[in-house]
Amino acid sequence: MTHKQIVTATINGELTEFLCEPHQSLLSCLRDVLSLTGAKEGCNDGNCGACSVILDGRLVNSCLVLGVEIEGREVTTVEGLAGWQALTPLQEAFVAYDALQCGYCTPGMLMAAKSLLDRHPNPTDGEIRAWLAGNLCRCTGYDKIIRAVRAVVPGTAVAPKTAEAPETADVLQTVLETASVDQVKEA
Amino acid sequence: MVEIKQNLIVVGSRPARVDAVDKVIGRASYATDVRLPGMLVGRVLRSPYAHARILSIDTGRAEKLPGVYGVVTAADLPPLEGDDAVGEKAFRDRELASDKVLYVGHPIAAVAARTPEIAQEALDLIRVEYDVLTPVVDVLAAMKADAPILHHDMRTRSLAGTGEKPTNVAAHFEQVKGDPGQGFAEADVIVDREFRNPMVHQCYLEPHSSTAVWSDNGGLTLYVTTQGTFSVRSHVVRLLRLSMSQVKVVPMEVGGAFGGKNSSYVDGVAAMLARKARRPVKVTMSRPETFMATGPNSGSVLRVKMGATRDGHLTAAEATLIYEAGAYPGSPVGSGSHVMFAPYQIPNGRLEGYDVVVNKPVVSSYRAPGATQACFVAEQVINELAGTLGFDPIEFRLLNSVKEGSETVDGTVHRHIGAIEVLQAAKASPHYTTPLEGPNRGRGVGHAFWGNWGACSSVTMTVNSDGTVSMVMGSVDITGTRTSIAMQAAETLGLPLDRVKCTMGDTDSIGYSDTSGGSRTTVATGHAAVKAAHDVIDKMRERAAQIWEVDVQAVVFDAGIFHVPDDLDKTLSFQALAELLPRTGNVVIGVGNVDVADWGSCFGTHIADVEVDPETGKVTLLRYTVVQDVGKAIHPMQVEGQLQGGATQGIGWALYEGYEFDAAGQMLNPTLLDYKIPTALDVPDIETILVEVPYPHHPFGARGVGENPIMPPPAAIAEAIYQAVGARVCDLPITPARILETLGII
Amino acid sequence: MKPFAYEAPTSVDQAVTLLAEKGERARPLAGGTDILVQVRRGFHNLDLLVDVKRIPELVRIDYDAEEGLTLGAAVSCAVLCEHPTLQAHYPGLLDAVSIIGGAAIQGRATLGGNLCNAAPSGDAIAAMIALGGEALVAGPEGRRLVPIASFCTAPGVTALRPGDLVVALRFAPPKPHSGAAYVRFVPRGEMDIAVAGAGAWVALSPGGTTFTDARIALSAVAPTPLYVERAAEALAGQAPGEDAYARAAEAAQEAAKPIDDMRGTAAQRQHLVGVLVKRALRAAVARAGANHAGTGMEA
Ligand SMILES: Cc1cc2nc3c(=O)[nH]c(=O)nc-3n(C[C@H](O)[C@H](O)[C@H](O)COP(=O)(O)OP(=O)(O)OC[C@H]3O[C@@H](n4cnc5c(N)ncnc54)[C@H](O)[C@@H]3O)c2cc1C
Ligand code: FES
Ligand code: FES
């Protein structure tokens, strides 16, 4: 028999204490214990990237980390990127470039792209594709995802008004407002 | 014919999709994210054998395990009554096997428990006694007279009648046009080839999940990931013999579907467990379960023969299509034969198809069901003919292309199509007009027809007193349709998009709508939205007439303004009138409820450039372009996304994907490590060219766009590989080993 | 997943004690990218996982021009790839380290884990064999050095005994005029397990005119990563060039015992061994700084 353990870690900037089984994955701890359901399960064996989070500054598949391993460590999930009122430029680019369809890969894709840009603020297209290769997307064909990440790369930003990018600024505001309505309703 | 709207403001623009922000902040709620108080975990016991008789199932020990709240088997289904004319037993056996298992992964029992670990332990405690039978996993072997029989009551259905002996061939058809023998006699060149392809999976990133909860008065609510809430409702109603009004199906965000979420896999079991446990139960499939126990696309064997004259005219075409249905009949062989020769004028032809059961997962739809492999083989032969006769492949297709009124081999008559326009756009594209240089490089073209779908959609639209509009649709949004349908409503109402909000309704809150499949939703639900918008406008005109005390005929609606011509005092904006509605008999609700019987088909041409490493056979895609007739791109960015995503799935099908089985019917690669789909590294930027040949029977001229783009990639890539290194590979996927084998290197 | 307990000791001795107590029913946990998947699939029946990442000795990197390189067994691939010394002196090792999984796997996977998992396809194992590496093993009876070439004994089986732990991986300092490279074949761009792989290490005469020494190792073409003993003979005294590479490739093909599986066929692997050995040699020779026509980094 095993016993549940108390784990103390910084999750999305907040010191958090939670109880979990030693064999429970970090993904399950985030989703089932802490109700942080942003990270998704697509395979539970390290091959899809939907569960990607950042652990002590490194991208990891949270399905292949045990919850107990994060004792004293720092974890950032998609929920920690930004609140719904202030998206990060990366999130804005995903919205503006339509870099998602079903959105199931999106939380992991954002965390992967963030970890790339944190480390290499100016990646080439090839570097972006190589870095994101562990994050499968079945909907988009990656094209718009790469364009979105590229748009955040300083110096290569394409003004989002061209044929390939939308008239976002105003629309984004509206979407944010609509989102807030939803949130209020849910709450 | 409806008049197609011109001077559009919202339709054709590129707004951010309405679900995007929730999705980038991790707040979008999918079926697996559902959490209800007291919720239990449901797990399914699946057959380890591909073919076996079930002698007994003993759930006693599992039921007694602490933390287990319920165990169900086929015995918990309502008793089967009367004769089985409608295949009720097979329907139920697919959900939970009663006397026989027909593939590895076939569900047998399910448990609801407090934790996943307890649920697993309980499954391990269920004792099933089997009489293991010889499986048949190869489709040609299954057709042999001495093959092991899956269903002893199965007889071949064909136009000639019903067969007499038990068989695995569920259906056979043959269609003939003209005189194929004569057609081939007139040909100067004939190409005759056989092709094989394995089962492939949709590989939506989100596995199936369903959460069921019963109310005290016998009402069932299901939170699901599905393409069609009403299909789930029908499924559960039929399985558990409930009334439709007893069941409410709530659509959650869908993490990819591609046809694979038209069928219901765990909803029935979740409902059964929740009823037994008297607690909410969530059943979520693992990735291996998703591979082994949901519906991939048919594996198939196809033979194609086509002939043409020296001056490049096709004279005859013949095909035999043998499709695996999996364990129960119903492969999309008909759809494959319908589309494969449809892009060309062929005076003589013959199409023959077989639907064959084998001990493998039951196939389901996958984006243009059955069509990709059929397109692959027909287009390979077209490419080969063009090459042999010395024609440019696009020229050859233009020469033989169907036009307005052309009749296909299976008798379909093309109307309002953009086939020629697409081919011409491909020929003039920046990609095709740029020569490809360098050793071991090649370019290939593939071309496809897909028929699309219309069918039933419902929309309601409430005008709020602040002038905003809340609309509910019965379609599930799997691709961004909340946005593209709201755009069509906004355009009709003369409102900016941010005034129209579109949500997915559950089955209690909106009228029947067919599943989001067949590339129908933006088109058919768009029809419904436009109809609802007109209903709103008419009702608001009545209110304006009431306020102004004029005849309703006198009130005109134009560009968001209600007015009486020539009477400047009688003018109200949409919003101003909306504000007055509560005082003139409550708000206005518009309804759009349609069964679209007339919709546009579409054509697409793809161009692929590859480089092949001649020593290893590794294929690198250098450049890829999709050209497609989209009628009218309601939201061009989303249309591009469909084309890019569809093409990438087709690329995976061409190069990497395929189920592998051993002789016992065990799937060898049920993980995303060994079932390989393209990663970001495997595809280049995918260029898109949207050709707009409006379909005259849609308010904005739109055509379905989602399915066609999966069809052309395998043929385009196969031809590019042939051009690069001279290997014409006829089996999918075109692996490096197959290329080296074809070249005689290994 | 079957329940198990978890410990995170902070010294090698504690870890060895914990592992020795449970014998077969305990295993070290490094990056978890193999073991967690296997436990979840029911391949092991374990009572305890011993997390070795909090042991300082296992997460250090030491380099000394005299002593060579000592890599803690639990350093992640991502950290290894960013390390300037490794980039400068051991690019042939990084060839393999950098292709283990994608970015997220890189953040966790370790060399100790790759070695002890003993997959025939373990990319770093062949690369480490080619470099002539050794594993420093701590166990109930003390410490010992095991050559990596003889570390893996069967698929998933190693020379480790219950209670043993790999503390570090050791490599000699790079010799002058030497170079190493690892190449593999996978069907997709990356994110695949090797269908076949080849690691080569070469030492050239000061003028770069002849091979003075060489080692070749192969992945995924035998029950374990394979050290090709006869390749060194085939190359010794030869001038770097296609003739010599072909001879070495032939020796490697003779040594290989590939099988058919869903990742590739035996014939394909046999063929790939030839192609990959040549490519690895070309790259290794280029790194060794030989100046003769036709070498490049094109592999
Ligand atoms: C998506 C994905 C892609 C992958 N791609 C590749 C690839 O391209 N090439 C490749 O070679 N591998 C690949 N792998 C396999 C795996 O990532 C590597 O083998 C990795 O190096 C294992 O390291 P780890 O630290 O995660 O090992 P763990 O899983 O922690 O351990 C593996 C085994 O080694 C034992 N062990 C670990 N450390 C020690 C130690 N210090 N002493 C004694 N025993 C120890 C463990 O008990 C276990 O039995 C991939 C895995 C995944 C999930
Ligand atoms: S769920 Fe973790 S990688 Fe797929
Ligand atoms: S958007 Fe659906 S998987 Fe990426």
Side-chain angles (χ1 to χ4, degrees):
Chain A
M1 251 332 268
T2 57
H3 296 284
K4 285 202 175 183
Q5 296 189 8
I6 295 176
V7 178
T8 311
T10 304
I11 297 177
N12 294 334
E14 261 179 57
L15 196 64
T16 309
E17 216 179 53
F18 63 93
L19 203 58
C20 72
E21 304 275 357
H23 63 267
Q24 211 170 349
S25 69
L26 173 58
L27 177 61
S28 164
C29 292
L30 292 170
R31 291 178 52 83
D32 302 327
V33 181
L34 296 165
S35 289
L36 289 168
T37 54
K40 298 290 182 237
E41 180 181 318
C43 68
N44 210 25
D45 62 11
N47 282 292
C48 77
C51 65
S52 304
V53 302
I54 293 176
L55 171 60
D56 280 354
R58 295 257 174 220
L59 187 70
V60 298
N61 299 120
S62 63
C63 69
L64 292 186
V65 176
L66 296 177
V68 288
E69 283 187 74
I70 71 159
E71 173 65 38
R73 307 216 185 271
E74 258 181 65
V75 173
T76 309
T77 70
V78 70
E79 287 95 339
L81 283 183
W84 49 268
Q85 279 171 313
L87 301 185
T88 61
L90 181 64
Q91 289 168 308
E92 272 186 48
F94 266 58
V95 175
Y97 285 81
D98 211 32
L100 54 95
Q101 285 176 31
C102 80
Y104 202 75
C105 69
T106 309
M109 206 58 96
L110 286 166
M111 299 317 286
K114 173 183 159 52
S115 80
L116 169 67
L117 296 175
D118 285 352
R119 222 160 277 274
H120 310 285
N122 223 335
T124 63
D125 270 19
E127 284 165 341
I128 299 173
R129 286 188 179 275
W131 190 272
L132 298 182
N135 291 77
L136 298 177
C137 173
R138 192 58 156 172
C139 299
T140 63
Y142 304 103
D143 185 287
K144 295 190 186 307
I145 295 174
I146 307 300
R147 282 175 212 270
V149 178
R150 204 188 281 160
V152 190
V153 174
T156 61
V158 189
K161 272 272 180 189
T162 63
E164 69 170 24
E167 315 94 38
T168 20
D170 316 343
V171 188
L172 197 61
Q173 195 46 47
T174 328
V175 176
L176 287 171
E177 281 160 14
T178 333
S180 70
V181 174
D182 273 336
Q183 246 98 58
V184 174
K185 254 177 52 187
E186 268 167 31
Chain B
M1 193 172 300
V2 293
E3 195 188 326
I4 295 182
K5 282 211 160 196
Q6 306 294 330
N7 303 323
L8 304 172
I9 297 165
V10 183
V11 164
S13 69
R14 297 169 167 257
R17 64 174 66 215
V18 296
D19 47 332
V21 170
D22 271 355
K23 286 176 176 173
V24 298
I25 63 178
R27 205 175 296 239
S29 200
Y30 298 80
T32 48
D33 299 333
V34 171
R35 267 149 188 73
L36 299 176
M39 187 172 81
L40 303 172
V41 180
R43 282 275 164 93
V44 178
L45 180 72
R46 299 180 180 280
S47 170
Y49 301 110
H51 197 190
R53 241 186 304 276
I54 298 174
L55 302 178
S56 66
I57 306 172
D58 177 1
T59 58
R61 289 173 65 203
E63 277 161 36
K64 289 193 200 86
L65 187 72
V68 170
Y69 286 75
V71 181
V72 297
T73 65
D76 294 282
L77 288 167
L80 203 56
E81 289 158 5
D83 68 353
D84 191 27
V86 284
E88 205 60 20
K89 178 168 183 302
F91 170 72
R92 295 151 48 109
D93 279 347
R94 287 178 61 166
E95 194 82 19
L96 285 170
S98 62
D99 52 359
K100 219 180 161 191
V101 285
L102 295 168
Y103 61 96
V104 175
H106 200 151
I108 296 170
V111 301
R114 199 162 40 78
T115 69
E117 290 79 15
I118 300 173
Q120 186 55 49
E121 207 183 328
L123 291 186
D124 295 343
L125 290 175
I126 298 176
R127 288 278 157 269
V128 184
E129 262 188 293
Y130 299 96
D131 173 15
V132 180
L133 305 170
T134 311
V136 56
V137 292
D138 178 77
V139 67
L140 297 181
M143 294 172 79
K144 294 211 174 108
D146 59 350
I149 295 291
L150 274 73
H151 305 276
H152 283 276
D153 56 350
M154 186 183 284
R155 304 289 180 271
T156 304
R157 279 183 297 106
S158 69
L159 278 181
T162 303
E164 301 196 330
K165 284 199 290 270
T167 174
N168 293 319
V169 180
H172 170 235
F173 64 81
E174 187 173 7
Q175 290 170 303
V176 179
K177 175 186 178 186
D179 181 347
Q182 181 61 30
F184 284 114
E186 285 163 14
D188 296 309
V189 182
I190 293 174
V191 174
D192 186 350
R193 285 187 176 272
E194 189 175 297
F195 303 81
R196 279 166 192 258
N197 72 286
M199 284 184 162
V200 295
H201 199 270
Q202 301 83 358
C203 274
Y204 30 82
L205 213 51
E206 173 210 38
H208 296 261
S209 181
S210 188
T211 303
V213 55
W214 292 81
S215 66
D216 289 341
N217 58 5
L220 168 66
T221 302
L222 284 160
Y223 300 87
V224 302
T225 176
T226 183
Q227 290 172 243
T229 47
F230 290 91
S231 337
V232 173
R233 189 179 72 174
S234 323
H235 182 92
V236 176
V237 159
R238 180 176 172 191
L239 190 75
L240 302 180
R241 303 236 182 91
L242 303 169
S243 69
M244 289 186 179
S245 63
Q246 260 177 297
V247 182
K248 172 165 116 177
V249 179
V250 183
M252 305 300 294
E253 293 294 336
V254 180
F258 318 115
K261 289 178 182 165
N262 282 322
S263 309
S264 185
Y265 296 102
V266 287
D267 309 307
V269 162
M272 290 170 74
L273 286 171
R275 186 158 64 179
K276 204 158 209 185
R278 302 178 151 271
R279 300 258 293 258
V281 174
K282 174 154 75 180
V283 183
T284 302
M285 280 181 150
S286 67
R287 179 58 56 181
E289 279 181 299
T290 304
F291 275 117
M292 296 194 284
T294 67
N297 184 77
S298 296
S300 51
V301 177
L302 299 100
R303 226 207 76 213
V304 181
K305 183 173 162 188
M306 294 178 94
T309 56
R310 216 165 280 120
D311 62 356
H313 289 281
L314 294 169
T315 57
E318 252 181 24
T320 305
L321 304 89
I322 302 172
Y323 277 39
E324 295 170 346
Y328 293 89
S331 76
V333 61
S335 142
S337 84
H338 171 55
V339 300
M340 63 188 297
F341 298 137
Y344 307 108
Q345 300 201 43
I346 306 174
N348 308 290
R350 195 183 65 86
L351 288 160
E352 187 180 9
Y354 295 89
D355 180 34
V356 184
V357 294
V358 289
N359 292 111
K360 294 189 192 173
V362 193
V363 306
S364 175
S365 42
Y366 177 20
R367 204 169 197 154
T372 301
Q373 66 261 54
C375 174
F376 166 65
V377 305
E379 291 295 300
Q380 275 248 61
V381 171
I382 289 281
N383 281 328
E384 196 173 345
L385 280 173
T388 311
L389 292 167
F391 279 86
D392 168 87
I394 297 185
E395 268 311 323
F396 187 71
R397 287 173 169 86
L398 274 167
L399 192 61
N400 289 287
S401 176
V402 288
K403 306 181 172 64
E404 180 66 24
S406 300
E407 192 185 305
T408 67
V409 172
D410 79 348
T412 307
V413 177
H414 287 296
R415 294 279 177 225
H416 314 296
I417 54 172
I420 302 275
E421 289 84 346
V422 165
L423 286 165
Q424 278 167 342
K427 199 172 159 212
S429 67
H431 185 167
Y432 206 69
T433 51
T434 309
L436 175 64
E437 279 155 13
N440 303 312
R441 293 181 168 196
R443 172 171 295 165
V445 170
H447 182 59
F449 159 81
W450 181 248
N452 297 324
W453 195 30
C456 297
S457 286
S458 301
V459 164
T460 60
M461 208 175 268
T462 305
V463 181
N464 301 313
S465 59
D466 63 354
T468 61
V469 173
S470 300
M471 62 186 277
V472 179
M473 63 174 183
S475 292
V476 178
D477 177 0
I478 54 169
T479 52
T481 50
R482 268 165 295 189
T483 308
S484 63
I485 286 159
M487 287 168 78
Q488 297 178 66
E491 186 74 54
T492 313
L493 295 170
L495 296 175
L497 180 61
D498 63 5
R499 309 294 283 174
V500 181
K501 182 188 174 193
C502 180
T503 47
M504 295 186 264
D506 61 58
T507 53
D508 277 358
S509 62
I510 182 73
Y512 180 84
S513 300
D514 277 304
T515 182
S516 292
S519 304
R520 65 175 284 277
T521 312
T522 293
V523 169
T525 310
H527 262 291
V530 169
K531 199 169 169 195
H534 284 300
D535 194 25
V536 159
I537 292 164
D538 287 347
K539 286 173 175 159
M540 286 177 74
R541 281 174 56 227
E542 279 169 23
R543 299 294 178 89
Q546 189 185 324
I547 292 164
W548 291 327
E549 295 176 347
V550 297
D551 191 274
V552 65
Q553 303 303 331
V555 182
V556 171
F557 175 76
D558 187 24
I561 308 286
F562 295 87
H563 64 108
V564 175
D566 307 326
D567 188 345
L568 282 179
D569 289 344
K570 297 193 169 56
T571 299
L572 281 170
S573 70
F574 189 94
Q575 175 166 343
L577 180 54
E579 283 168 8
L580 298 174
L581 293 178
R583 280 179 277 140
T584 58
N586 205 352
V587 297
V588 154
I589 302 175
V591 176
N593 189 23
V594 299
D595 182 357
V596 176
D598 185 353
W599 64 86
S601 59
C602 81
F603 286 82
T605 305
H606 293 202
I607 309 161
D609 291 356
V610 306
E611 183 169 321
V612 183
D613 180 335
E615 286 188 319
T616 64
K618 183 155 171 159
V619 176
T620 306
L621 268 180
L622 303 171
R623 187 169 182 182
Y624 202 95
T625 299
V626 180
V627 186
Q628 189 174 313
D629 174 18
V630 301
K632 169 72 193 175
I634 303 292
H635 188 307
M637 206 160 51
Q638 289 188 359
V639 172
E640 291 159 12
Q642 286 300 307
L643 271 43
Q644 292 165 334
T648 302
Q649 290 180 337
I651 289 167
W653 200 333
L655 294 175
Y656 310 121
E657 298 182 32
Y659 277 46
E660 304 221 17
F661 290 93
D662 66 14
Q666 194 77 44
M667 185 183 179
L668 299 172
N669 57 339
T671 63
L672 289 171
L673 181 65
D674 286 315
Y675 183 98
K676 300 175 191 308
I677 69 172
T679 73
L681 258 183
D682 302 317
V683 285
D685 288 355
I686 295 187
E687 297 160 51
T688 53
I689 296 174
L690 310 186
V691 177
E692 295 189 319
V693 178
Y695 189 68
H697 300 276
H698 184 271
F700 301 103
R703 298 171 189 268
V705 301
E707 288 165 293
N708 187 298
I710 196 175
M711 295 168 61
I717 290 169
E719 176 65 13
I721 291 169
Y722 175 74
Q723 294 297 336
V725 291
R728 188 172 294 289
V729 181
C730 292
D731 293 344
L732 293 177
I734 308 171
T735 59
R738 287 201 167 120
I739 292 172
L740 296 185
E741 280 160 13
T742 310
L743 292 172
I745 291 173
I746 57 171
Chain C
M1 178 150 44
K2 281 254 161 60
F4 51 75
Y6 167 88
E7 296 283 353
T10 52
S11 77
V12 170
D13 287 349
Q14 286 170 10
V16 169
T17 309
L18 284 165
L19 289 167
E21 257 170 36
K22 297 270 178 198
E24 297 288 342
R25 297 186 64 93
R27 288 248 180 169
L29 166 72
T33 58
D34 279 318
I35 190 81
L36 293 180
V37 176
Q38 293 163 4
V39 170
R40 222 164 264 168
R41 298 213 182 120
F43 293 173
H44 308 289
N45 201 353
L46 298 180
D47 295 336
L48 175 68
L49 274 185
V50 179
D51 186 348
V52 296
K53 295 187 294 299
R54 300 204 187 226
I55 306 174
E57 213 183 332
L58 271 83
V59 292
R60 289 172 56 140
I61 300 178
D62 294 302
Y63 179 72
D64 177 309
E66 302 287 307
E67 295 290 312
L69 179 66
T70 305
L71 295 179
V75 181
S76 73
C77 291
V79 171
L80 294 175
C81 289
E82 286 166 11
H83 202 278
T85 307
L86 273 80
Q87 290 168 350
H89 299 307
Y90 297 91
L93 182 61
L94 292 192
D95 283 348
V97 171
S98 62
I99 56 177
I100 295 178
I105 295 292
Q106 289 268 307
R108 295 271 294 171
T110 68
L111 282 186
N114 197 255
L115 176 63
C116 297
N117 188 56
S121 57
D123 289 303
I125 311 179
M128 291 193 287
I129 294 174
L131 282 172
E134 292 174 314
L136 174 62
V137 177
E141 274 104 61
R143 298 191 171 207
R144 62 187 194 279
L145 282 170
V146 180
I148 292 172
S150 56
F151 192 91
C152 303
T153 54
V157 185
T158 66
L160 294 182
R161 298 186 287 257
D164 279 353
L165 181 72
V166 175
V167 175
L169 301 147
R170 306 238 299 228
F171 304 92
K175 280 192 187 169
H177 312 294
S178 74
Y182 178 80
V183 292
R184 70 171 181 184
F185 178 76
V186 292
R188 284 186 299 192
E190 275 307 332
M191 287 307 292
D192 279 332
I193 300 302
V195 177
W201 172 85
V202 300
L204 304 178
S205 58
T209 51
T210 52
F211 286 106
T212 58
D213 198 0
R215 278 189 297 267
I216 288 176
L218 307 174
S219 310
V221 294
T224 63
L226 191 68
Y227 174 48
V228 183
E229 289 177 32
R230 286 204 36 243
E233 279 167 44
L235 291 171
Q238 305 282 326
E242 290 305 320
D243 287 349
Y245 305 155
R247 249 189 297 269
E250 222 171 278
Q253 282 175 317
E254 267 168 41
K257 293 178 188 52
I259 54 163
D260 283 328
D261 66 15
M262 70 190 160
R263 294 184 182 139
T265 66
Q268 177 190 19
R269 290 190 160 110
Q270 192 66 34
H271 167 77
L272 285 172
V273 165
V275 174
L276 296 175
V277 164
K278 288 181 210 161
R279 290 183 182 184
L281 280 170
R282 280 180 211 127
V285 167
R287 281 184 179 148
N291 50 1
H292 70 102
T295 54
M297 299 294 290
E298 68 271 24

